[in-house]
Amino acid sequence: MISSIIFIALVIAASALFAKNVKTIIRNIKLGKDIDRSDRKKERYLLMAKVALGQSKMVVRPVAGLLHIIVYAGFIIINIEVLEIVLDGIFGTHRLFSFLGSFYYGLIASFEVLALLVLVSCLIFLIRRNVLRLKRFSGVEMTSWPRSDANYILITEVLLMSAFLIMNAADSSLQNLNSFHYTQVGSFPISGLFVSSLSSISESGLIMLERSLWWFHIVGIFAFLNYLPYSKHFHILLAFPNVFYSKLEPKGQFENMAAVKKEVALMFDPAADPYAAPVEPQGEPLRFGAKDVTDLTWKQLMDSYTCTECGRCTSVCPANITGKLLSPRKIMMDTRDRLVEVGNGIDKNGKDFNDGKSLIRDYITEEEILACTSCNACTEACPVNNDPLSVIIDLRRYLIMEESKAPSEWTGIFTNIENNGAPWQFAQADRLKWKDE
Amino acid sequence: MSELKVPTMAEMMASEQNPDVLFWVGCAGSFDDRAKKITRALVKILNNVGVNFAVLGSEESCTGDPAKRAGNEFLFQMQAMGNIQVLNGYEIKKIVTTCPHCFNTLKNEYPELGGNYEVLHHSEFLQNLINEGKLTIQGGAFKGQKITFHDPCYLGRANDVYEAPRVLIEKLDAELVEMKRCKTNGFCCGAGGGQMFKEAEKGNKEVNIERTEEAIELKPDIIATGCPFCMTMMTDGVKLKDKETEIKIFDLAELIAKANDL
């Protein structure tokens, strides 16, 4: 009875805290500018089914892809067990669903196999990161927190799965002892293998072991749930909406800025009065391109929270491969870190707070932004359809159009295009000379 | 050298003719010495097949692509609006171009600004001519040669055109060998995003060298590409690696023109 009350209080507290943190993240994402991604719904659902649910872009790298699918499937399927655990906790029952009979036995058996597979996969992931030290997991942006974050997630999963299996072994021993409360639920294919090693423990000892692991497992899950909003691991939730709201246009198509369209239309309008006072829109002053995270769209901000720092983007980036500073993963991580900073600032100081910092320069340097070849290798590689390239271009737009800070060669091509319709200094009248050469 | 027949839209208009397709030559195709050869090669094929085409000549202007990728949206839209006025004035319906950057911009970014055309990269256009039976390729000249195709980013990933260039190469009876990074995983030549026009940022290698080394590993006779900027970058790369005697770099149009002895 008391344990039920404690358990219910825990469920409520964990859910409330999680909801609060999720709300903050949603609020932060909504600090972004509006962009309409509500069209072509059917296509979007199909894309989500393929890329997020079906992990189609993960398997481009077969080893990591396969291991990830195991952990992902394990996570989803073992959650059915978590449902039972929660209900057991609330009602003080044990293995509530065991009335399902042989179907339940099969389910438990498959959870065990999955748990072992997840355990092994996480161990391999840990080895890849910490022993083999794959290049993909290093880089300037992979400072101590991102590295620890990844390890915390993997270690937690290893601990949770181990607790789950040892708990089942204790349960199994108790079933063999015909202990009261511990109903027979068939054989345990994995934990059954080391039941004998628990044979020296008394019945009360086994009950204590089983109970404490049960609590460890479920408290661990609640703790992990509340770790998510602070971690790159939040991708397990955001991957779905993030893929749903993907850019559906061809990758080469960059958005035509609406604000510029108005200005250009005026220039092409013979009836426009060149001396008329410019009509400034009410409210916030117009800014071309992105100086800070609030100049980006909500989708770009969602991208940043969805990024799980896998580094596939950076590992295929031609600029990064040839030693330049640019790393698309860093662009995503910087965007998120700055957004969190802005969000925290708003929480502390109110909506209009200004810390005088910005995404450009305080986080991302001009050198990084200028190194991009816009080749779309990063967007192609991203398993959750993030678009770091769009952020780079928006930052460039700010540099060029607001600060006129272009490298001198670019200033040259701009002048040439403007004056003679080509990036080089050739006369437009000579465009057909090749015909007679 | 045979005379090229290159009617302009203005001439067509004056004689009340309508071309089936506009050949958008692009700035590189008009002014870059190496790219001009690609332009001429395509015209030779078009003349040979008897395609009813025209060019804008001095009425053509930069699509604005380099300005847009470099962040100068104003200049891009100014260029786009100017070009759209000209194109719509001539009631252009269909465009073919040898430059993937022009291709991408005209095809994807002009419609929203009022310029709606069917836009084809020359690899697609030539493939259509083959499919319609209007163009046949004599394989002889390249029979058995090892050719690798470098996917231009703005043709491949940007617009999912991977097959047309390869179909053309296979028609040459050549041996098509793929680099490890090809198609969706194609590796940039280093020119896109305005990089063509400026020094690269500090690093430990040039992008075009990284890509050229990958191509050289295959020991090809020819590196084929479909972009005037990739052409520049790969040509420079091969020169720097002292391989210009063993490895030639050709555009798809040049390969076909050569194969057909045009």
Side-chain angles (χ1 to χ4, degrees):
Chain A
M1 187 59 202
I2 290 175
S3 72
S4 286
I5 292 168
I6 294 173
F7 187 81
I8 290 166
L10 194 69
V11 173
I12 293 170
S15 312
L17 187 60
F18 180 66
K20 179 182 165 279
N21 283 325
V22 168
K23 256 170 103 175
T24 305
I25 289 179
I26 293 172
R27 194 272 321 266
N28 286 354
I29 289 174
K30 283 186 172 167
L31 292 174
K33 298 225 166 318
D34 202 21
I35 180 176
D36 186 16
R37 290 275 166 92
S38 61
D39 58 335
R40 297 155 83 178
K41 285 247 163 55
K42 200 179 151 201
E43 217 174 311
R44 293 184 181 282
Y45 279 114
L46 286 173
L47 193 69
M48 186 169 75
K50 188 174 133 208
V51 175
L53 195 67
Q55 310 254 307
S56 62
K57 290 173 96 176
M58 281 305 293
V59 290
V60 171
R61 297 183 188 218
V63 176
L66 182 71
L67 293 172
H68 185 269
I69 285 178
I70 291 170
V71 175
Y72 158 77
F75 172 80
I76 290 180
I77 297 170
I78 294 171
N79 266 329
I80 305 172
E81 167 93 17
V82 173
L83 178 70
E84 185 192 40
I85 291 177
V86 169
L87 292 175
D88 277 345
I90 292 171
F91 300 117
T93 50
H94 184 69
R95 297 196 180 270
L96 186 65
F97 296 163
S98 58
F99 69 88
L100 293 167
S102 59
F103 176 71
Y104 182 78
Y105 304 167
L107 214 56
I108 291 294
S110 65
F111 291 161
E112 284 227 323
V113 174
L114 267 172
L116 180 70
L117 287 171
V118 170
L119 184 72
V120 171
S121 301
C122 287
L123 288 173
I124 298 174
F125 279 146
L126 279 167
I127 292 169
R128 281 160 60 91
R129 279 180 184 268
N130 300 293
V131 181
L132 301 177
R133 292 177 180 273
L134 262 60
K135 189 169 177 287
R136 182 149 66 85
F137 302 124
S138 63
V140 282
E141 66 276 22
M142 298 308 281
T143 50
S144 77
W145 162 246
R147 282 167 189 263
S148 308
D149 187 16
N151 285 330
Y152 294 158
I153 295 160
L154 291 168
I155 291 167
T156 306
E157 295 196 37
V158 167
L159 290 177
L160 287 176
M161 292 303 116
S162 307
F164 177 71
L165 289 172
I166 301 170
M167 176 185 85
N168 276 355
D171 195 319
S172 181
S173 308
L174 288 160
Q175 288 172 36
N176 294 341
L177 294 171
N178 285 319
S179 184
F180 176 70
H181 222 74
Y182 290 92
T183 37
Q184 303 286 336
V185 289
S187 64
F188 293 92
I190 306 300
S191 60
L193 301 174
F194 52 89
V195 160
S196 56
S197 60
L198 303 178
S199 59
S200 60
I201 306 175
S202 67
E203 183 176 346
S204 60
L206 282 170
I207 292 177
M208 210 152 90
L209 181 65
E210 194 275 336
R211 282 293 86 195
S212 45
L213 287 171
W214 186 92
W215 279 97
F216 175 82
H217 184 69
I218 192 65
V219 172
I221 286 172
F222 288 144
F224 197 48
L225 180 74
N226 276 292
Y227 178 67
L228 290 184
Y230 300 97
S231 160
K232 72 185 191 105
H233 210 52
F234 203 59
H235 81 287
I236 62 173
L237 297 174
L238 276 184
F240 295 88
N242 200 61
V243 171
F244 183 83
Y245 292 117
S246 295
K247 166 179 166 181
L248 297 181
E249 291 79 29
K251 282 191 185 316
Q253 180 176 337
F254 293 6
E255 148 257 4
N256 294 322
M257 292 173 69
V260 173
K261 249 187 279 180
K262 270 184 237 155
E263 307 258 335
V264 173
L266 263 177
M267 288 182 179
F268 274 80
D269 179 7
D273 174 8
Y275 302 108
V279 187
E280 284 290 337
Q282 293 294 306
E284 53 188 321
L286 193 69
R287 182 183 282 157
F288 294 112
K291 180 188 184 191
D292 207 349
V293 284
T294 45
D295 300 319
L296 296 169
T297 68
W298 61 262
K299 180 56 175 63
Q300 289 168 314
L301 300 183
M302 185 190 262
D303 281 0
S304 77
Y305 270 117
T306 311
C307 174
T308 189
E309 301 163 13
C310 70
R312 291 182 185 216
C313 52
T314 296
S315 74
V316 294
C317 172
N320 191 274
I321 288 173
T322 54
K324 278 87 177 175
L325 268 187
L326 175 64
S327 161
R329 169 171 57 190
K330 179 174 178 292
I331 301 288
M332 286 285 103
M333 290 168 69
D334 284 344
T335 303
R336 184 193 54 213
D337 291 350
R338 172 60 184 155
L339 180 56
V340 169
E341 186 179 52
V342 170
N344 290 345
I346 290 174
D347 287 337
K348 272 197 207 111
N349 311 301
K351 221 173 136 262
D352 295 323
F353 116 102
N354 182 354
D355 60 2
K357 289 166 78 177
S358 58
L359 181 60
I360 197 159
R361 299 211 179 84
D362 289 307
Y363 284 81
I364 301 171
T365 59
E366 286 172 44
E367 187 177 337
E368 291 164 69
I369 297 163
L370 292 177
C372 174
T373 68
S374 73
C375 76
N376 264 305
C378 55
T379 63
E380 177 70 37
C382 181
V384 291
N385 281 2
N386 276 353
D387 190 354
L389 172 55
S390 69
V391 177
I392 295 170
I393 294 297
D394 282 340
L395 294 169
R396 269 190 190 176
R397 285 169 168 169
Y398 171 77
L399 273 184
I400 304 293
M401 290 193 284
E402 291 283 344
E403 295 193 345
S404 301
K405 279 203 78 173
S408 60
E409 301 104 309
W410 278 2
T411 314
I413 67 160
F414 296 155
T415 311
N416 289 334
I417 292 173
E418 215 173 319
N419 293 341
N420 46 277
W424 303 286
Q425 244 180 349
F426 293 103
Q428 194 167 356
D430 292 342
R431 277 188 97 100
L432 205 46
K433 273 196 162 172
W434 55 266
K435 186 178 83 157
D436 307 309
E437 281 172 9
Chain B
M1 196 188 297
S2 64
E3 242 345 68
L4 297 179
K5 288 196 295 282
V6 192
T8 62
M9 280 309 302
E11 291 161 5
M12 281 264 180
M13 191 86 151
S15 56
E16 290 183 2
Q17 279 175 293
N18 245 329
D20 297 329
V21 62
L22 174 82
F23 173 24
W24 183 275
V25 181
C27 300
S30 301
F31 297 124
D32 179 274
D33 282 335
R34 182 66 189 81
K36 281 193 267 189
K37 292 184 183 165
I38 304 171
T39 308
R40 294 176 61 87
L42 183 66
V43 168
K44 282 177 194 168
I45 299 169
L46 297 178
N47 281 169
N48 185 252
V49 173
V51 174
N52 177 21
F53 78 100
V55 298
L56 283 173
S58 58
E59 290 184 279
E60 188 185 279
S61 186
C62 175
T63 58
D65 164 82
K68 189 174 180 95
R69 311 299 140 186
N72 194 338
E73 182 75 8
F74 269 113
L75 184 52
F76 161 71
Q77 289 200 18
M78 291 293 287
Q79 287 298 117
M81 293 306 281
N83 284 323
I84 289 168
Q85 279 189 349
V86 173
L87 291 166
N88 289 356
Y90 284 125
E91 294 177 10
I92 300 297
K93 301 275 179 298
K94 189 172 177 180
I95 300 174
V96 60
T97 178
T98 50
C99 174
H101 297 263
C102 297
F103 165 68
N104 176 67
T105 307
L106 293 166
K107 179 173 181 275
N108 297 322
E109 290 160 355
Y110 275 32
E112 205 215 356
L113 300 171
N116 291 285
Y117 325 102
E118 182 194 351
V119 187
L120 298 171
H121 182 249
H122 67 307
S123 63
E124 300 173 296
F125 188 81
L126 293 171
Q127 192 193 3
N128 288 348
L129 288 179
I130 292 172
N131 292 346
E132 291 159 14
K134 291 178 184 158
L135 172 65
T136 44
I137 299 176
Q138 279 114 47
F142 296 103
K143 201 174 164 83
Q145 294 222 32
K146 218 187 213 187
I147 303 182
T148 187
F149 181 68
H150 163 78
D151 287 282
C153 302
Y154 275 86
L155 184 64
R157 266 192 302 271
N159 287 292
D160 291 321
V161 179
Y162 300 110
E163 282 316 306
R166 291 176 168 79
V167 168
L168 296 180
I169 291 171
E170 274 160 12
K171 295 269 181 206
L172 297 168
D173 276 345
E175 183 196 350
L176 174 63
V177 285
E178 296 287 3
M179 284 181 262
K180 204 173 152 215
R181 292 177 286 195
C182 66
K183 299 184 184 171
T184 52
N185 298 320
F187 191 78
C188 179
C189 71
Q195 305 300 335
M196 178 74 194
F197 305 102
K198 70 174 202 17
E199 284 298 313
E201 275 57 43
K202 205 162 82 40
N204 51 32
K205 204 180 203 178
E206 292 292 338
V207 176
N208 67 326
I209 298 299
E210 168 84 11
R211 183 54 161 173
T212 311
E213 285 173 352
E214 189 178 0
I216 290 173
E217 262 176 49
L218 298 170
K219 297 195 168 52
D221 300 300
I222 292 165
I223 299 172
T225 187
C227 171
F229 298 105
C230 297
M231 173 61 76
T232 305
M233 300 310 263
M234 299 306 283
T235 307
D236 287 353
V238 169
K239 263 188 207 148
L240 267 161
K241 287 270 153 190
D242 272 331
K243 291 280 175 195
E244 72 251 56
T245 45
E246 296 108 292
I247 303 174
K248 302 288 171 213
I249 301 134
F250 288 121
D251 183 89
L252 296 160
E254 292 178 302
L255 290 175
I256 292 174
K258 271 188 207 303
N260 285 5
D261 210 12
L262 296 173

